[in-house]
């Protein structure tokens, strides 16, 4: 049975272009992904793409916005199960992990963005990643009892968790190639337990 391209299953042209752009930005970064490549993935001309999005920057901004929505949904998700701030923080970290594994292209786009730093002159309000980190830091602060550690310590701890999640999410094909699909599946089952243990050690540290 021939597998259908996900883009072919989408009726809306604008949506197809966003999916194609997401693929290209994840694979090549902003500079490597051209209008021609994105349009070609959908079977359109450059001129047809520019009818929907005037510039590559507009496509990129929309892709980043969609990623930000998914990231904030993971942080703000409230299933009503967590009884304490510590449990809430643990649940959020595991929710971020689940979202990253489900959307590995998001992670690859973010890695390119962080490495290329092409929007270094953009206003702070235009870069959602800091706001997202700040929310996680606040959750970690609320989860601890006793005096709050220095801000730099909290940033380092949250960044350690986020980096561990994002690096794993972006490495699926590589780990599968190194160790095989079965071992990769086992790693994926073990990873959340390790994250949970790390979170609990962080919360317990003063």
């Amino acid at each position: 049975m021939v597998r259908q391209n996900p883009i072919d299953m989408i009726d809306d042209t604008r949506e197809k272009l966003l999916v194609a752009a997401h693929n290209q930005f994840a694979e090549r970064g902003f500079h490597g992904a051209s209008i021609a490549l994105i349009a070609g993935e959908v079977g359109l001309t450059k001129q047809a793409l520019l009818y929907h999005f005037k510039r590559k920057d507009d496509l990129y901004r929309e892709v980043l916005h969609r990623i930000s929505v998914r990231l904030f949904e993971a942080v703000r998700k409230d299933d009503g199960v967590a009884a304490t701030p510590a449990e809430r923080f643990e649940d959020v970290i595991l929710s971020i992990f689940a979202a990253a594994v489900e959307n590995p292209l998001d992670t690859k786009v973010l890695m390119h963005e962080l490495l290329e730093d092409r929007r270094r002159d953009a206003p702070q309000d235009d870069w959602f990643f800091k706001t997202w980190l700040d929310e996680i830091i606040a959750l970690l602060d609320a989860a601890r009892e006793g005096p709050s550690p220095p801000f730099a310590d909290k940033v380092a701890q949250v960044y350690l968790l986020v980096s561990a999640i994002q690096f794993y999410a972006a490495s699926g094909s590589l780990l599968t190639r190194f160790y095989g699909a079965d071992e990769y599946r086992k790693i994926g089952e073990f990873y959340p337990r390790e994250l949970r243990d790390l979170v609990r050690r962080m919360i317990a540290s003063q």
Side-chain angles (χ1 to χ4, degrees), residues 7-44:
I7 293 177
D8 295 336
M9 301 172 65
I10 302 171
D11 293 329
D12 182 62
T13 300
R14 187 175 188 277
E15 185 65 25
K16 286 184 177 181
L17 288 168
L18 285 168
V19 171
H22 195 177
N23 292 339
Q24 290 294 326
F25 290 138
E27 181 68 24
R28 305 170 186 275
F30 177 83
H31 296 292
S34 67
I35 291 290
L37 283 170
I38 295 169
E41 189 168 332
V42 182
L44 296 176

Side-chain angles (χ1 to χ4, degrees), residues 20-176:
H22 195 177
N23 292 339
Q24 290 294 326
F25 290 138
E27 181 68 24
R28 305 170 186 275
F30 177 83
H31 296 292
S34 67
I35 291 290
L37 283 170
I38 295 169
E41 189 168 332
V42 182
L44 296 176
T45 64
K46 290 171 58 176
Q47 290 71 24
L49 183 153
L50 293 171
Y51 172 80
H52 295 274
F53 296 93
K54 302 302 181 187
R55 303 175 305 153
K56 184 169 69 168
D57 282 271
D58 296 333
L59 264 172
Y60 189 65
R61 181 183 290 271
E62 182 61 27
V63 168
L64 284 180
H65 171 71
R66 290 178 168 216
I67 292 173
S68 75
V69 168
R70 284 189 283 271
L71 288 176
F72 280 111
E73 282 177 349
V75 171
R76 296 167 181 172
K77 180 181 179 181
D78 184 7
D79 55 16
V81 174
T84 66
E87 291 173 346
R88 165 73 176 144
F89 181 70
E90 185 178 312
D91 285 353
V92 163
I93 294 302
L94 293 178
S95 179
I96 292 170
F97 172 77
V101 171
E102 186 176 344
N103 302 284
L105 292 183
D106 289 1
T107 294
K108 292 182 179 181
V109 172
L110 285 175
M111 283 185 167
H112 279 295
E113 172 69 6
L114 292 171
L115 290 171
E116 294 171 5
D117 195 21
R118 60 170 299 274
R119 299 198 308 147
R120 65 178 65 88
D121 297 324
Q124 184 170 299
D125 292 344
D126 194 42
W127 183 218
F128 67 86
F129 194 70
K130 179 182 181 298
T131 304
W132 183 70
L133 286 174
D134 287 345
E135 291 199 15
I136 304 173
I137 292 166
L139 289 171
L140 173 60
D141 223 12
R144 281 200 173 102
E145 296 180 1
S148 177
F151 182 70
D153 291 9
K154 293 182 287 189
V155 174
Q157 288 180 325
V158 166
Y159 220 76
L160 174 63
L161 287 169
V162 170
S163 299
I165 290 170
Q166 301 295 330
F167 192 78
Y168 171 79
S171 302
S173 59
L174 191 67
L175 289 173
T176 300

